[in-house]
Amino acid sequence: MSNQTLEATVDPELVNKWIEEIGSGVPAAVPLLQAIQGEYGYLPRDAMDLIIANSDINASQLFGVATFYAQFRMRPVGRHLVKVCHGTACHVRGADRLNTSLNHILNITDEEEDTASNGSYTVEDVACVGCCSIAPALVIDDDIIGNLSGADAQRVLKKHAKGCKEDLPGDTSKKKKAAQENSNEEARS
Amino acid sequence: MSDSKLEIIVGEGTCGRASGSTEIMGLFKKNAPDATIRTVGCVGMCHAEVMVEVIDGDGNSHMYGNVDKKGVTKILKFHRGEDEKPEDMLLSATDDPELEGGQYLTKQTRLALRNVGTIDPTDMEQYKARGGYSAIEKIIQTGMTPEDVIEQVKISGIRGRGGAGFPTATKWTFARGAEGDKKYLICNGDEGDPGAFMDRSLLEGDPHNILEGMLIAAYAIGASGGYAYIRAEYPLAVKNFDMAIQDATAAGYLGDNILGSNFCFDLKIKQGAGAFVCGEETALIASVEGERGMPRIRPPFPAIKGLFGKPTIINNVETLSNLPWIIDNGGAAYQAIGTEDSRGTKVFALAGTIKRGGLVEIPMGMTLHEMLYDIGGGSSTDKPLKAVQLGGPSGGCVPASLFDTKIEYASINATGAIMGSGGIVVMDEKSCMVDLAKFFLDFTQIESCGKCTFCRIGTLRMKEILTKICDGEGTMEDIDTLEELAEGVKQASLCGLGQTAPNPVLTTLKYFREEYEAHVKEQRCPAGVCKGLISHTIINEGCNGCSICERYCPVDCITGEKKKGETWVIDQDVCINCGMCVEVCNSDCILVE
C-alpha cells in the first residue's frame, strides 16, 4: 500500500480560523505550523498554501521556518507516531537497537522510509524527550515509556497495536503461526 | 489505623507518568478513598519511579520507590497495621535516617528545587503555603527599587545557570540602563542539550517559582513584556506553566498594576519547535520573532537591542528559580553557599550508567566523586565508571582519574569540559569514547544552523573523520587533521554552538587518545561498541539452541537447529552487529569482539 493514502484532506475553514486566532504576521509562523501539525500530524501542502494566501507570511518565510525546525514534518505520517529518543543517555544505553527492532517488526527496510507500508506506524528519531534517567525511552502517540531493551520495544508496540487493532507487517510470530495453521489444515485435508 | 489520617503523595512528573504513576494514583484513589491523596512533581529520584510518599497520622513520612500494582496493596496494608513494612520498596523514612534514599536527599542542598516533589504544581495555594510569592510581595510592599533588587542579586554572586555562567546582576545592569519604551524578559526553557532535564523538572514541578523569578527579573530591568520559551517536547511543562500564568493573573500577581503598584508584566508562552541553536540568545530571539532560529552578530547585545529591537534579557529557568529564594533570604545567604569562584547551588541531571539517576542539587564546591558516589550510588552495572560527560554537546568528558575535581566554574573549565546547564551522562567501560565524540558531532552537525562556514562545513568534516575512525578506516593522520579542524571551528565560529562543538572531540582526545589509536592502529574498539570493528559469534558450548536470537535477528542471519546448541551460527556477511541477539540471549553465549 502506498503512503499516499495517508495524505490529509485539509479543511480551509480550520486553517483560516487559526490565522484569525493566532495571527497573520511573521511572529505567528511557528505557532501556525504547530497548529497544522497538531491537527494533521504533518504539514500538508494545501494548508501551507492557504497560509501563504491568507496571511502576511510569504512562501519563502513559511517554508524557511518549516524546514528549519526539527519538529516539522513535510511527509504524511502513519496513523500512530513512535518517537525514539536519541539523547545522550539513551544513546549510550542502546537507543539504536530500539530503532532496529521497531523497524524489524514494522518491516521498514528502506533507509529513506520511516512509515510501515500499511500506514500503521511511523518511527521517528527525536533529539531528547528529557527522561534521561529512564533511558532508553520512546514515545508512542503521547505516552512516554522508558527502560526499554530492543525486545521490550517490540513487546510495547505489539501491545499498543493490539489495543488499537493495527497490524504489524513485520510480526513474524503471527505469520509463522498462520503458516503453521495453514500447513496443519493442508495436512488435514 | 484509619485511612482518613493518611496522606498519600504520588510523584507525577514526566518520568513518573512514563513509569505508570497515573495507574498507581488511580489504584490508591480506588482502594483508599478516605485518605488524602495528592499529586506532586518529580522529587528527582527518577531511578525509583513510581515514587509514593505516605505521611501517617503522627507526621511520620515513608517514601517508597518502584511502586507497582502489588506495591499499592502492600503499602496500604502496612499503614493500616495489617502487614509488615515493605522494606524492598522503602527508600527513606523519617524514623530511619540511615536508608539510602534518605542519604540521596540529605546530601543535597535544595534551593532551586525546594518545592519540586513537595507541592502539587497545579495548586498555587500550595506554593504560597511554602512561602511562595512572598519575594515579589516584599519587593513591592517594602518599596524595594529595581536597583535594590539588582544589588541583592549582585551580592548573591549568582551566575547564569544556562551554561556560560555570566553574572546575572551584571547582565541586568546593562538592560536596566538601556534606553527603550518597552523592554522584554525571556525565560529560556529551550533545554536542547540531549541528556539534560533540569528545566523540564523545574517547569513541571514548581512553575509558580519560575514565574515569580520572572517577575523579580522583569521588575529589576523594567520589563513589561515577557515570554517563556519552552520546548514543545515538554508538553507537561507547557501545561503546568500555562495554568500557573492563569492562576497568577487571577490572583493579581501578573498583568497590569501588580499588587496595586505601577509594575505591569504581561507573560506569554512560546513553544520551541526543536532547534538546539535556539538556546543561543540571539537565535532564540529570532525564533520568537517567527524567523528561522539563526544567531545574529553581536554587538548590539540583546540587553541593548533584542526582541523586536527592544532591550531584552534572557535568563535560564534554573537562574530564575533561585531568585525568589535570594530575595526572601537576602543575597548574603546565597553567597554563603558554595565557593569563592561559584556561589550557591547547581542542579544536575544524572543519567547513564549510574545507580541512582535523577535530579540533584548540590552546593558548589562538592567534588564530582561525592556527587557520583555519595548521592548517585556509583555504577549501575558490574563495570566501574570510566568518565562523565558534562555540558552535553558543548561540554566535554572528565575521566574517572579527575573525579576529585570540584564542581565550580573555574575547576571544571580547567579540565576542558564546561559546567554547562547541568546534564551529566555517566559512562562505564562499555562506552566507547570515540563513538561518543561521533554522537555529539552528529548532533551538532545536524543542529548547526548553517550561517557560518566553520561550523557548517567544519563540523561535517569532523564528523566524516570520526565516522571513518569508527568504521576502522581511519589513519593516524586523520587524528591530527581532526585536532586541527577542532581548533579552527572553536576559534572561527560565530556563536556558542560552533565555538563549543569541538569540546567533546578535544576532551576525548586529551584523555582517551589511546582509544582513538586502538581504532586506527589495531582496528579494535576497546569498548566493543563501534559496529564496523566488532563481530558477533555464538559460543556453541554455552548455547542451548533456544532459537530466541533467530526470532529477534532483524536480518535473519542466525541459523541452527532447535535444541542443538552446537549447530547455531551467525552469518558474518549478513550480520549488521546490531546487538539484538546479545540482548535476548538467555545463556549469555554470544561473543562480541
Side-chain angles (χ1 to χ4, degrees):
Chain A
M1 197 191 297
S2 117
N3 285 333
Q4 272 174 356
T5 51
L6 295 172
E7 269 180 30
T9 314
V10 174
D11 174 6
E13 266 179 45
L14 203 55
V15 177
N16 290 329
K17 195 185 96 189
W18 287 325
I19 297 174
E20 209 166 282
E21 284 173 7
I22 299 169
S24 58
V26 176
V30 173
L32 278 174
L33 293 173
Q34 282 170 335
I36 296 174
Q37 184 148 317
E39 177 73 22
Y40 301 111
Y42 76 109
L43 303 176
R45 181 60 199 256
D46 292 351
M48 302 280 280
D49 288 343
L50 274 167
I51 291 192
I52 294 159
N54 299 341
S55 78
D56 300 328
I57 309 166
N58 66 37
S60 122
Q61 284 164 330
L62 193 68
F63 277 86
V65 168
T67 52
F68 184 83
Y69 296 98
Q71 189 193 3
F72 299 125
R73 180 183 169 93
M74 314 292 276
R75 292 192 284 173
V77 64
R79 287 181 289 279
H80 305 280
L81 180 62
V82 184
K83 292 186 225 167
V84 180
C85 178
H86 281 266
T88 317
C90 289
H91 175 76
V92 300
R93 300 194 92 163
D96 275 345
R97 206 143 53 233
L98 304 191
N99 288 81
T100 309
S101 100
L102 291 173
N103 284 343
H104 184 209
I105 202 166
L106 289 168
N107 199 23
I108 301 173
T109 49
D110 183 353
E111 266 187 33
E112 297 292 307
E113 195 49 73
D114 62 0
T115 303
S117 57
N118 64 352
S120 53
Y121 290 89
T122 293
V123 181
E124 230 178 45
D125 289 357
V126 291
C128 185
V129 295
C131 285
C132 315
S133 291
I134 53 166
L138 54 77
V139 189
I140 301 187
D141 293 335
D142 288 323
D143 293 330
I144 300 180
I145 305 154
N147 288 321
L148 297 171
S149 67
D152 290 337
Q154 291 197 356
R155 222 166 297 151
V156 164
L157 198 67
K158 276 186 192 171
K159 194 177 159 199
H160 188 271
K162 206 176 164 195
C164 48
K165 300 202 167 59
E166 288 287 0
D167 261 342
L168 300 171
D171 189 355
T172 45
S173 58
K174 255 190 188 169
K175 273 186 205 155
K176 272 185 191 159
K177 211 175 157 194
Q180 189 73 42
E181 276 164 13
N182 273 344
S183 66
N184 286 351
E185 262 172 40
E186 274 166 30
R188 258 179 260 139
S189 63
Chain B
M1 187 190 289
S2 134
D3 285 351
S4 61
K5 289 191 179 148
L6 294 180
E7 187 177 1
I8 300 170
I9 303 162
V10 183
E12 285 215 281
T14 297
C15 290
R17 287 178 191 209
S19 309
S21 67
T22 313
E23 190 185 6
I24 299 298
M25 184 78 172
L27 282 173
F28 275 116
K29 281 186 176 158
K30 190 176 148 212
N31 295 323
D34 294 337
T36 309
I37 300 174
R38 290 202 291 126
T39 173
V40 295
C42 168
V43 71
M45 294 157 101
C46 311
H47 59 279
E49 296 291 0
V50 178
M51 300 263 310
V52 175
E53 185 183 1
V54 181
I55 301 171
D56 62 25
D58 304 325
N60 285 322
S61 150
H62 289 78
M63 186 100 84
Y64 302 95
N66 299 312
V67 178
D68 55 11
K69 283 186 217 166
K70 280 184 193 154
V72 173
T73 320
K74 280 190 196 167
I75 291 169
L76 285 175
K77 277 193 170 168
F78 165 61
H79 287 281
R80 286 168 182 159
E82 295 165 5
D83 205 349
E84 296 195 355
K85 202 187 263 186
E87 302 275 1
D88 53 327
M89 285 185 295
L90 194 61
L91 296 171
S92 71
T94 39
D95 51 11
D96 188 358
E98 292 301 307
L99 282 169
E100 268 193 0
Q103 306 265 321
Y104 182 89
L105 292 170
T106 51
K107 293 225 161 94
Q108 300 187 38
T109 304
R110 291 166 78 96
L111 306 185
L113 296 174
R114 64 193 178 282
N115 297 325
V116 179
T118 307
I119 62 167
D120 177 350
T122 59
D123 184 354
M124 188 174 75
E125 291 310 316
Q126 290 189 28
Y127 175 66
K128 288 184 73 177
R130 303 250 312 167
Y133 288 114
S134 59
I136 193 69
E137 280 169 4
K138 177 178 171 183
I139 288 171
I140 288 175
Q141 283 154 8
T142 66
M144 280 176 85
T145 64
E147 284 72 21
D148 294 338
V149 174
I150 296 178
E151 184 59 22
Q152 285 306 313
V153 173
K154 193 176 173 188
I155 293 170
S156 79
I158 188 170
R159 295 162 65 165
R161 295 288 188 246
F166 194 78
T168 305
T170 312
K171 193 156 135 178
W172 285 3
T173 311
F174 295 144
R176 177 81 211 149
E179 298 278 329
D181 51 342
K182 176 144 188 143
K183 292 177 190 173
Y184 289 101
L185 176 82
I186 301 177
C187 163
N188 185 351
D190 189 43
E191 187 167 55
D193 168 0
F197 51 94
M198 299 76 53
D199 295 355
R200 173 179 69 71
S201 296
L202 282 163
L203 287 162
E204 278 177 15
D206 197 9
H208 284 281
N209 185 29
I210 316 296
L211 202 155
E212 190 178 2
M214 289 188 77
L215 286 171
I216 295 166
Y219 182 81
I221 63 169
S224 56
Y227 286 96
Y229 192 90
I230 305 175
R231 296 180 75 202
E233 288 89 341
Y234 292 171
L236 187 61
V238 172
K239 189 176 151 219
N240 288 359
F241 199 78
D242 186 45
M243 188 180 260
I245 291 179
Q246 289 176 32
D247 292 347
T249 308
Y253 291 114
L254 206 56
D256 290 339
N257 302 103
I258 293 167
L259 298 171
S261 70
N262 293 329
F263 174 41
C264 304
F265 187 59
D266 172 55
L267 176 58
K268 290 191 189 78
I269 293 178
K270 202 88 182 176
Q271 286 193 46
F276 178 61
V277 70
C278 288
E280 202 277 343
E281 296 195 338
T282 55
L284 190 151
I285 288 173
S287 178
V288 175
E289 289 173 354
E291 309 272 348
R292 288 163 76 94
M294 290 164 94
R296 295 164 180 173
I297 292 172
R298 300 183 291 184
F301 287 92
I304 309 299
K305 196 167 179 261
L307 185 64
F308 305 118
K310 307 291 181 192
T312 304
I313 285 294
I314 300 176
N315 282 140
N316 164 268
V317 170
E318 188 188 337
T319 315
L320 293 166
S321 71
N322 279 298
L323 299 177
W325 192 92
I326 290 172
I327 297 300
D328 275 333
N329 298 278
Y334 193 83
Q335 199 223 33
I337 305 165
T339 66
E340 178 93 40
D341 167 78
S342 311
R343 302 295 182 185
T345 61
K346 178 79 195 84
V347 180
F348 286 99
L350 279 179
T353 55
I354 187 138
K355 205 183 271 173
R356 295 196 289 272
L359 214 61
V360 299
E361 182 171 359
I362 50 123
M364 293 277 197
M366 183 182 260
T367 65
L368 279 169
H369 190 278
E370 286 173 277
M371 179 167 71
L372 295 171
Y373 290 88
D374 298 352
I375 298 176
S379 175
S380 62
T381 66
D382 52 0
K383 305 272 186 305
L385 297 184
K386 175 163 143 183
V388 291
Q389 169 75 22
L390 290 175
S394 308
C397 74
V398 179
S401 58
L402 294 179
F403 280 178
D404 284 335
T405 306
K406 276 188 179 172
I407 299 169
E408 54 176 2
Y409 290 97
S411 303
I412 292 198
N413 287 347
T415 67
I418 59 165
M419 177 79 79
S421 59
I424 295 196
V425 179
V426 184
M427 286 162 289
D428 68 1
E429 286 174 348
K430 296 287 273 181
S431 295
C432 169
M433 304 315 275
V434 189
D435 174 73
L436 182 79
K438 181 174 145 252
F439 167 77
F440 282 122
L441 254 295
D442 244 345
F443 180 82
T444 36
Q445 195 270 320
I446 291 169
E447 294 294 335
S448 170
C449 77
K451 185 163 182 161
C452 64
T453 322
F454 270 85
C455 180
R456 184 180 68 240
I457 309 290
T459 54
L460 180 63
R461 291 290 102 88
M462 286 174 73
K463 179 183 137 180
E464 286 167 358
I465 294 175
L466 285 164
T467 308
K468 229 175 118 185
I469 296 173
C470 287
D471 288 345
E473 288 158 10
T475 62
M476 291 303 287
E477 218 185 346
D478 283 333
I479 300 180
D480 296 336
T481 315
L482 187 64
E483 220 162 4
E484 196 185 319
L485 274 168
E487 289 298 341
V489 172
K490 195 172 175 170
Q491 280 171 30
S493 294
L494 174 67
C495 82
L497 187 148
Q499 288 160 9
T500 57
N503 283 347
V505 173
L506 290 168
T507 49
T508 47
L509 271 172
K510 186 172 168 188
Y511 298 116
F512 297 97
R513 203 179 185 95
E514 72 284 357
E515 281 195 32
Y516 281 83
E517 293 182 356
H519 282 71
V520 173
K521 286 185 187 162
E522 302 164 38
Q523 305 277 299
R524 185 174 68 86
C525 173
V529 171
C530 293
K531 287 178 185 167
L533 293 175
I534 53 171
S535 66
H536 287 72
T537 39
I538 293 172
I539 311 166
N540 293 92
E541 289 77 48
C543 176
N544 59 15
C546 72
S547 86
I548 188 164
C549 54
E550 181 200 10
R551 265 175 284 150
Y552 279 99
C553 175
V555 289
D556 297 328
C557 72
I558 309 179
T559 48
E561 233 178 290
K562 261 200 179 170
K563 291 182 187 160
K564 287 186 180 164
E566 68 281 5
T567 62
W568 287 82
V569 283
I570 296 178
D571 184 347
Q572 297 301 327
D573 294 337
V574 185
C575 178
I576 54 169
N577 291 309
C578 67
M580 273 303 287
C581 51
V582 182
E583 188 191 274
V584 294
C585 179
N586 298 317
S587 39
D588 215 7
C589 68
I590 290 167
L591 183 68
V592 187
E593 55 179 8

